[in-house]
Amino acid sequence: MSERTTYAATRDPDVLVRAVSVHKRFGNIDVLKGLDLTVRRGQVVVLLGPSGAGKSTFLRCINHLESVDSGEIWVDDDPIGFRLRDGRLHELRERAIAKQRAQIAMVFQRFNLFPNRTVLQNVIEGPVKVKGTPIAQARQQGQELLDRVGLADKVDEYPGRLSGGQQQRVAIARALAMQPKLILFDEPTSALDPELVGEVLNVMTELACAGMTMIVVTHEMSFAREVADQVVFIDDGVVVEMGPPEQVIGNPTHSRTRQFLARVHQ
Ligand code: ADP
Ligand code: MG
């Protein structure tokens, strides 16, 4: 389908992300079955849900690493994967999609740093290659960002010589270097030794306080409780329950949410 009418054209300027009835299937498996989500500017939204619920797939759709089968995802004025013209959505080509994607950063469970490049080289790669930032300027910004995540003394180090927590903080600095509108985190602390989780969550908390809009898949309940504006429980490809953390975590109304939380809290 190369063009379709849009039903999300009435835009609220306060909303940064709006997903409307997102469907995605792989082969004959329906993974996302009509997922809706609204994220306001500056909000932190935590996505909770069991393994296989479709959380990663949903993040990948927001970033257009996967295309949706039906429904729409808007980030700011952009319908992801499309361009709005004459009230209709027209499918974008790969280069225009890459441009949209550059405004949305993603931090993964595995840090995906280039092992044969220094920390600073990892951070400036995106700005220099994708945005055409002059190298001196990119280095300056990169150093400031590494300072912000507490790694000012590691700029010339290679990723392999850093702990997992430090590598993940480099990945966050690299995400920030693109000056994204939105950062998607997919279980950013799940691969870390327990004693390294806190330093990464602290950096994420600081970003949240600085007003960054973030969608975070995590099982870290204390982070969800303390930092999230909204918690969204996803199961079997749909939003089961959403609201402020004290409601969804503290006083869930659905049995599926309660069962999940009981398992996570064990
Ligand atoms: P979660 O992140 O909530 O654990 P995922 O989004 O990773 O869930 O996966 C949801 C379902 O989609 C799973 O059943 C998974 O096997 C399936 N899936 C995810 N990616 C693919 C893919 N590229 N091809 C086929 N099936 C996939
Ligand atoms: Mg996942």
Side-chain angles (χ1 to χ4, degrees):
M1 200 192 322
S2 66
E3 91 176 31
R4 55 166 88 130
T5 50
T6 174
Y7 41 88
T10 46
R11 304 257 306 102
D12 177 347
D14 208 32
V15 169
L16 186 68
V17 183
R18 174 156 282 162
V20 186
S21 193
V22 170
H23 287 78
K24 177 70 184 174
R25 57 166 36 200
F26 292 111
N28 53 11
I29 305 170
D30 286 313
V31 174
L32 303 180
K33 304 177 182 175
L35 212 144
D36 297 300
L37 182 73
T38 300
V39 182
R40 310 191 89 77
R41 284 177 205 281
Q43 269 196 336
V44 176
V45 172
V46 165
L47 305 184
L48 298 179
S51 178
K55 306 178 300 295
S56 295
T57 301
F58 182 52
L59 290 190
R60 292 170 60 78
C61 288
I62 297 174
N63 210 11
H64 209 287
L65 295 170
E66 303 284 355
S67 53
V68 304
D69 295 328
S70 66
E72 294 176 18
I73 301 177
W74 290 71
V75 175
D76 220 350
D77 297 326
D78 289 326
I80 294 300
F82 294 86
R83 182 162 54 107
L84 184 63
R85 207 178 55 204
D86 306 328
R88 283 178 161 269
L89 295 181
H90 301 263
E91 215 162 328
L92 289 178
R93 290 169 198 259
E94 192 49 46
R95 257 181 61 183
I97 290 171
K99 217 168 159 187
Q100 281 187 343
R101 191 181 289 139
Q103 306 184 21
I104 305 166
M106 190 145 173
V107 174
F108 301 89
Q109 184 173 334
R110 298 270 162 208
F111 331 116
N112 305 328
L113 300 173
F114 297 112
N116 54 349
R117 295 193 194 149
T118 66
V119 162
L120 185 60
Q121 285 167 345
N122 267 279
V123 172
I124 70 174
E125 165 91 14
V128 171
K129 289 263 165 70
V130 180
K131 290 192 153 182
T133 307
I135 199 144
Q137 189 186 332
R139 287 180 67 92
Q140 170 77 32
Q141 285 167 352
Q143 269 161 350
E144 285 166 14
L145 289 171
L146 286 164
D147 189 28
R148 188 168 164 193
V149 300
L151 294 173
D153 57 336
K154 301 290 186 200
V155 287
D156 295 322
E157 201 58 89
Y158 285 87
R161 294 177 55 91
L162 303 183
S163 72
Q166 290 171 330
Q167 289 185 54
Q168 192 59 301
R169 286 186 281 147
V170 174
I172 293 172
R174 180 179 58 178
L176 290 171
M178 293 299 283
Q179 299 176 302
K181 291 176 175 176
L182 168 70
I183 308 186
L184 311 172
F185 291 87
D186 195 357
E187 302 201 31
T189 61
S190 295
L192 299 178
D193 292 334
E195 73 273 20
L196 303 177
V197 167
E199 63 191 63
V200 172
L201 294 179
N202 285 343
V203 166
M204 292 168 62
T205 303
E206 279 166 24
L207 285 183
C209 292
M212 178 60 75
T213 311
M214 304 169 22
I215 303 178
V216 184
V217 175
T218 186
H219 299 296
E220 293 294 333
M221 289 300 153
S222 57
F223 178 85
R225 251 201 214 92
E226 286 156 29
V227 183
D229 298 290
Q230 233 192 125
V231 173
V232 179
F233 177 68
I234 296 176
D235 194 10
D236 203 17
V238 294
V239 171
V240 173
E241 180 161 4
M242 60 191 279
E246 54 276 18
Q247 182 188 315
V248 176
I249 299 174
N251 191 19
T253 56
H254 287 257
S255 60
R256 281 197 277 177
T257 318
R258 281 196 220 112
Q259 280 162 16
F260 171 78
L261 290 171
R263 263 182 284 140
V264 174
H265 283 139
Q266 264 167 18

